Amino acid sequence: MTQETRTLPALAPGSVETPFVIKDYGEIVSHDTLWDAHSHPFHELLWNERGASTAVVGARVWTITPTLGLWMPAGTLHTGSASAGTWLRASFFGFRTTASISDTPVAVEITPLLRLLLERLGEPGLAPSSRVATEALVLDVLAPSPRELLVQVPTSGLLRPIADAVREDPGDHRTLADWASELGVSTRTVTRAFSAETGTSFVRWVAAVRAQHAIGLLTRGWDVESVAEQVGYRSASAFGAAFRRTTGLTPGMFRPELTP
């Protein structure tokens, strides 16, 4: 499969005139696609009609899906990726016409109501009065979500081998004690390092990495049993329970036939 890399400029907030309130964008990517580091002069709400994509800001990696989007404030330097066949959606919010809902990137739940409103703004020939009314409703319901598909990637020399191995193979079954032994340090040292760098425990961090990887497979149509095995769980039920604890959602929500 051919991979495409796109280069976009890094633009400061408001550096380009954006007289619109909300502008719609959509694209079905035909190749696995990477976006180099860039930033926009406007705020951006990223979401997908189909499939999963990622956005990376520093060491933070978000998964974007049809049910969980990501608010990207103007001027935020980020990279991105999407696999072939992903139907990307985005809504651009004028920097001077719209206040940001957050100073930093934050997850946004794409509720059925928000989806309908955003889709209406993409309709050709929408009357100006209807556009104004719909934009007002979007801004009224738009809010950060307490749920997010986020992994904070550790970058220290101590934890980088662990992070690289687990992200390469989420089914890796090595425990914290196994890793400590391999790295020649105490379990307590690794535990403290994970807490300091990621804000969570090793077990929860691995569960988040597995959930992100699982979502990518589920949105490609993999069945739950195969996904569970691929990301290191002994049964679909164990995978489902861990997935719900991590994301607050069920694996079935990301299967293509069940995506709203």
Side-chain angles (χ1 to χ4, degrees):
M1 177 69 70
T2 303
Q3 180 172 283
E4 177 184 350
T5 300
R6 301 185 187 182
T7 300
L8 297 172
L11 298 174
S15 60
V16 175
E17 283 301 317
T18 53
F20 54 83
V21 177
I22 305 176
K23 186 177 181 180
D24 178 72
Y25 173 80
E27 177 188 1
I28 300 175
V29 293
S30 55
H31 304 94
D32 289 350
T33 303
L34 302 174
W35 285 264
D36 286 342
H38 63 282
S39 59
H40 303 291
F42 44 75
H43 310 302
E44 184 179 31
L45 176 63
L46 300 165
W47 56 291
N48 295 335
E49 193 74 38
R50 180 181 67 237
S53 55
T54 63
V56 182
V57 178
R60 293 170 293 169
V61 182
W62 281 271
T63 296
I64 300 160
T65 75
T67 56
L68 279 175
L70 181 67
W71 178 267
M72 190 71 68
T76 304
L77 195 67
H78 61 285
T79 62
S81 64
S83 57
T86 301
W87 185 351
L88 303 171
R89 296 292 300 271
S91 298
F92 305 144
F93 293 75
F95 178 70
R96 291 186 173 85
T97 58
T98 310
S100 181
I101 64 172
S102 172
D103 294 332
T104 58
V106 65
V108 172
E109 186 175 357
I110 308 300
T111 63
L113 174 59
L114 179 56
R115 176 185 295 274
L116 287 171
L117 293 171
L118 294 174
E119 289 178 343
R120 188 171 193 234
L121 290 176
E123 293 177 359
L126 186 65
S129 59
S130 296
R131 172 169 291 279
V132 170
T134 305
E135 288 172 340
L137 287 170
V138 169
L139 298 176
D140 185 54
V141 302
L142 193 63
S145 170
R147 295 188 303 211
E148 57 183 353
L149 303 174
L150 169 65
V151 169
Q152 179 84 23
V153 181
T155 58
S156 68
L158 173 64
L159 298 185
R160 191 58 185 263
I162 304 175
D164 288 347
V166 176
R167 295 185 71 206
E168 178 67 25
D169 176 17
D172 193 312
H173 285 286
R174 280 174 284 188
T175 66
L176 191 66
D178 293 334
W179 278 112
S181 177
E182 287 190 29
L183 297 173
V185 297
S186 69
T187 302
R188 176 175 292 183
T189 296
V190 181
T191 299
R192 288 177 173 173
F194 254 98
S195 179
E197 288 195 51
T198 69
T200 190
S201 68
F202 170 75
V203 171
R204 289 183 177 178
W205 184 85
V206 170
V209 172
R210 288 177 170 179
Q212 282 196 336
H213 191 74
I215 288 166
L217 299 178
L218 290 165
T219 57
R220 293 186 185 97
W222 283 45
D223 63 81
V224 173
E225 290 76 13
S226 298
V227 173
E229 181 180 359
Q230 184 72 17
V231 299
Y233 293 96
R234 295 182 178 179
S235 68
S237 60
F239 163 62
F243 190 90
R244 287 191 297 274
R245 283 195 302 270
T246 301
T247 68
L249 304 166
T250 64
M253 291 186 67
F254 298 95
R255 293 273 295 163
E257 65 270 25
L258 297 181
T259 298

